Amino acid sequence: MGYLKKFIYIFTDRRQQLVILVAVFLTTSFLEAFGIGLIGPFLSIVENPSLINSNPIANKVYTQLQLQSNSQFIILSGLFIIGVFAIKSTAYLSGKFYTFKTILNQKATIRERLFSAYMLAPYEFHLGRNSADFVNKIVGEANRFTNLVALPLVELCSQTIVVIILVGLMARTNIVLVLVVLFTLLPAFLGFLVLSKRLKQWGQSSSQARKQTLKAVSHGLGGLKETRVVGCEAYFQKELHQHVRQEAAMEIRFKSAQVLPRTLIEALLIVAIVGFVCLSQFLLEQSFQSVISTMGVFAVAALRLVPASSQIVQSLGMLRNSIYTLDSLYLDLKEIETQKLIQPYPENSSAKIFSFKDSLELKDITYRYPTAKSFSLNKISMEIKRGESIGLIGSSGAGKTTLVDVILNLLTPEFGDIQVDGKSIYKNLSGWQKLVGYIPQSIFLLDDTIEQNIAFGIPKHDIDSDRLGYAIKAAQLETLIQDLPQGTHTSVGERGVRLSGGQRQRIGIARALYHQREILVLDEATSALDNETERLISDSITALAGSKTLIIIAHRLTTVEHCDRIYVLEKGQVARSGKYQDVIPTNA
């Protein structure tokens, strides 16, 4: 029941369609059993037409239709059986189409649900996770859930209904036949029980190996330049080899185990046929005619019983193999459910933008990471006037980046408040988000055009050319754009590999300006650049002073020497603040 409960939780959007699927399976199964049930009497009548007169139902049909001969009755009976199977086949195909439509649409829904959940999960949730794990869940595990959980579970229900009805039909025809069949199928199911625990282990090992494979690919190709320079290609190749071979080994075992049920069931049913004929003739002394009639039903039923039985065992194997997949998706969704998801910002929310005319004030900001014992920020207060530029400096671990993450609303303080012109940002977070821009040390660039990277998150047809031109000019990108044959339509390559470090930083600045952010937070925005490029970028930033409010984190003191005010952080507190010459020793 725990397995089914988790499945229904993940399948939450299409529960009603599951009920429809079960109804379709019941209908097709009854039609199939009804058609198969007619085979025995039909064969008996073909072999002995006089049975038409002795059988009340057959005789009534013969009379009502005013037939002239037994041959006409036999032909019409055959056509009727063909019609039943034609209707059954049509219903079966329709049911299969509906099944695939439901399950595969659900896979898309699960992927969207996971992606949205990860995107809207609190920032702390991402701090302890690897992006390869998210990719594996959205791409790999969602696909495994479809192929190894949802489809097998649906097949299990469908084929179980078929087997129950067929066994019931055969029991009505000959109870000895049923006992022989069940007895011969028993070893196949016992074999599954023996393999059950190993199937689960193989599925878990396969999923973990797949996740590690994604990590190895991400690390090796993501840092290709560093990998080439250091010369450690063999390390990543060896790491990938280990994980892909482990996954292959688990898949080989699982696929081989999947072949076993059908092979075993087919062999056992041959034994059952021979055994039943021998038992009927020599021990029960049944007439050959009655055996032929019974065997006719059995032969047609076996055509469905063999694949149905083997499909049941295979489905059970898949469900055992995919327990880790089901658990990982279920636990992730459950964990995110307990988190306070951020609310996506409305597309048309201009009316809610903060009116920033006077000052930004941080009041007693206090924050502690979920697993930490001590506070990373402890009652930090500061006031920033509109148009001012302030610098945040301090040693590593002093709390600079944590403070910026709080300002960016990535982290929510335990105590304290951030106010714009006396109004708390936490009463209008979407408005605050439209006020703040972020320029990190390493700018994330899409594998797309310069235009799309500047207008980050805006569809191509909605890009404002005037705003784009202003952002390019203010970020001093005009020369670069003019030198490129395709201008703003030039592709920057994956992670901006076709651009220099300074050019990437300028695109980051242009991005913040395009989105018309009044407050710009620069987190070590020039620390990775050479001195000349840093000077040029610093000039671009300095040119924004007065028109934009700047919050600058820096290790290089030269980056903040032109700031209106500097705050020195130590152990999560403001140690001192003031003009550059007041807080920085002359020999620094």
Side-chain angles (χ1 to χ4, degrees), residues 261-293:
R262 185 180 184 94
T263 306
L264 190 58
I265 288 171
E266 287 176 348
L268 290 173
L269 280 176
I270 295 297
V271 174
I273 292 172
V274 176
F276 177 73
V277 172
C278 294
L279 184 66
S280 300
Q281 290 294 297
F282 300 108
L283 294 180
L284 302 179
E285 297 182 352
Q286 292 183 351
S287 67
F288 186 72
Q289 179 182 337
S290 63
V291 172
I292 287 297
S293 176

Side-chain angles (χ1 to χ4, degrees), residues 180-190 265-266 268-269 305 309:
V180 171
V181 170
L182 292 179
F183 181 76
T184 52
L185 291 179
L186 186 60
F189 288 94
L190 290 177
I265 288 171
E266 287 176 348
L268 290 173
L269 280 176
L305 197 60
S309 300

Side-chain angles (χ1 to χ4, degrees), residues 19 25 47 61 70 305 330 343 383 410 433 449 468 498:
V19 176
F25 297 149
E47 195 274 335
V61 172
N70 292 339
L305 197 60
Y330 174 79
Q343 295 299 315
E383 184 177 7
L410 295 174
Q433 203 70 24
T449 63
L468 183 68
R498 296 171 190 157

Side-chain angles (χ1 to χ4, degrees), residues 124 365-370 375-377 402 406 411-414:
E124 292 96 331
I365 296 298
T366 303
Y367 180 80
R368 174 170 50 194
Y369 287 97
F375 288 105
S376 298
L377 301 176
T402 303
V406 170
L411 302 176
T412 303
E414 291 187 27

